[in-house]
Structures are given as structure tokens and as C-alpha cells.
Amino acid sequence: MTAELTLTGRITTASNATFLGSIGDVVVVYKPIAGESPLRDFPHGTLAHREVAAYLVSQVFGWDVVPHTWLRDGPMGEGMVQLWQEQDPAQSAVNLVATDHVPETGWKHVLEGRDENGRMVALVHEDSPALRRMAVFDMVVNNADRKGDHILAMTDGHRHGVDHGLTFHRDHKLRTVLWGWRGEALTAEERDGIDRVSEGLHGGLGRNLADLLSAEEIASLATRCARLHLARRFPAPSGEMSALPWPLF
């Protein structure tokens, strides 16, 4: 899409400059590199590239986790552009519920705690193939910021993941609300997806990622794929780093 990108609004809840826009009749999200806030643990000016890298990995998985994402010029310079997805407001893939109202089936329990009013609540997420695939994707790309609001519940039951600027760090950074399958065996489909990414790093995927990530980051991606291939199961939280993003949503 090479037509002019026109801004139509700003998403003020985002931590970096994030805009709604249109390219002709197509609604998009635009995140200019110039609007990225410096971070302590990620190189400055790289978040847009990581978002595009996440889309490329998603394409190789073949599960349509990440909406179409690319780099292009815009009103504030080069940035990430992503197709806007209209989620279903009646659905929620992740939720906080009272501890005595945790669903018995169809949901996974992540943790319990107290809310701002001192009431005991549980963090839960749905137990669905679509969300499992997103959790596998996050493990591979080392997603450091899988909040509940970064999961878009679509009307047809599909789940899109967005906001992938904090990915592909060479060190372990996995922070996610999707810990409900920890310790469970990966399915054959999930293992095949990981293997497709691993194999792609020796071909077109690897060549494309070389323009977006450092050599060390790509090597760490390959190592994560290899470890998951051998472990054949969802990992549990490890290390001293928090395993959850904050805020959760």
C-alpha cells in the first residue's frame, strides 16, 4: 500500500506515539519510530522493526496471530503500519473474576490476588486452540509484554495479538498473562509450527529478519525454537524477573 497515509486520530492509551489512520479506504494503526520512548533494556528506535519481525514470524507459523504489519513512511516519518482489527466488544479472552466464580471448564487459572478493594480475584484466560497458538508464538518471539488488552477477540472466535514492540530480546524476557498451559505438552500442530520457524531461519525468514533484528537476537530466536522442540511442552515461569506484564491489561 503506497498511497498517502492520512492520520484520523490518536490512541492515547499507548505508551508510545500511536495513531489511527487510513490508506485509501483501509484503516490502519501507525507507530512512527520518532515517537518511540527510550527504554532501559531495548535499543532505542527498534520497536517498529520488532513489530514487523513479529508479523514475519507469525506468517511462517501460519496461524494469523499478527495482523498484516509493515514499515513505510508516514506523516511523522518511517514507522510501523498495521491493519486495524475491529474486535468483538462482547468477548474477552482474558479476565479477572472473583475467586469463587472461576469457571470450571473452558478457562485456565493463572493466579490469585487482591484487587484495589481488597477482594480476592483470579486472573483467567480462555482455554482455546487460538489462544494456545498465541502463547506458543509469544514463547518463540520472547514477548515481554503480552497484556490482556493486547489480545483482540474477534467475532468468529479468532484471536489476534497486537503490540509486539517488546519482542526478540536476546535475553529471556517472557512476560505474559497466558501462563495457563504451563507444563502441558505441546500438540503436534504447535510443534510443527515451531519447526517451520526454525527451518525458516535458514531461508527466507532469516534473510528478512536480518534487516530488522541483530544477529544475536536472531541466534537467540533459533535457540528458543530448538529448546521448545526438545522440551515439547509449555515452559513454566523461571528466573528472578517478573513473569507477568504490568499492568495486566
Side-chain angles (χ1 to χ4, degrees):
M1 297 182 183
T2 57
E4 181 180 2
L5 170 57
T6 302
L7 301 187
T8 57
R10 183 165 185 173
I11 301 174
T12 57
T13 54
S15 56
N16 296 291
T18 305
F19 300 90
L20 278 177
S22 61
I23 303 174
D25 295 331
V26 179
V27 180
V28 298
V29 176
Y30 165 57
K31 298 181 182 180
I33 295 173
E36 295 180 5
S37 300
L39 296 170
R40 177 180 55 81
D41 52 350
F42 280 82
H44 183 52
T46 67
L47 305 191
H49 293 78
R50 296 172 192 280
E51 295 241 29
V52 176
Y55 168 70
L56 295 178
V57 171
S58 171
Q59 286 294 98
V60 173
F61 267 116
W63 300 335
D64 191 29
V65 171
V66 183
H68 188 192
T69 309
W70 66 101
L71 287 174
R72 63 156 287 169
D73 288 331
M76 296 179 63
E78 186 178 50
M80 178 225 80
V81 175
Q82 185 175 83
L83 293 183
W84 172 260
Q85 305 296 316
E86 195 66 46
Q87 61 182 323
D88 184 352
Q91 297 188 47
S92 179
V94 183
N95 208 347
L96 285 173
V97 299
T99 52
D100 56 354
H101 283 80
V102 175
E104 293 185 4
T105 60
W107 291 80
K108 289 290 189 178
H109 180 277
V110 179
L111 59 80
E112 294 182 0
R114 294 187 182 274
D115 66 10
E116 63 274 14
N117 298 313
R119 295 172 297 195
M120 291 299 298
V121 294
L123 176 66
V124 298
H125 62 70
E126 65 183 19
D127 184 10
S128 68
L131 209 59
R132 276 183 64 111
R133 289 191 286 266
M134 189 182 299
V136 173
F137 166 83
D138 284 344
M139 294 186 300
V140 167
V141 303
N142 199 19
N143 192 351
D145 197 34
R146 176 60 75 203
K147 294 181 171 71
D149 286 347
H150 295 175
I151 301 167
L152 307 184
M154 311 307 290
T155 302
D156 62 359
H158 187 69
R159 282 20 183 167
H160 280 302
V162 296
D163 287 310
H164 296 113
L166 302 186
T167 49
F168 298 105
H169 200 285
R170 64 181 184 180
D171 299 328
H172 175 69
K173 293 283 184 179
L174 185 60
R175 291 189 288 262
T176 175
V177 295
L178 302 180
W179 285 112
W181 299 286
R182 55 193 178 277
E184 292 190 15
L186 295 165
T187 66
E189 179 199 21
E190 292 159 354
R191 297 195 304 271
D192 288 346
I194 294 167
D195 290 344
R196 284 194 296 274
V197 174
S198 182
E199 293 164 4
L201 293 176
H202 301 289
L205 176 62
R207 291 190 294 271
N208 291 331
L209 291 180
D211 295 328
L212 302 166
L213 305 172
S214 71
E216 287 182 327
E217 289 165 342
I218 295 173
S220 293
L221 169 59
T223 298
R224 287 192 296 276
C225 289
R227 287 176 177 170
L228 286 168
H229 175 87
L230 291 174
R232 301 170 70 88
R233 64 182 59 251
F234 286 86
S238 62
E240 298 180 357
M241 179 196 74
S242 172
L244 293 165
W246 189 258
L248 297 173
F249 292 87

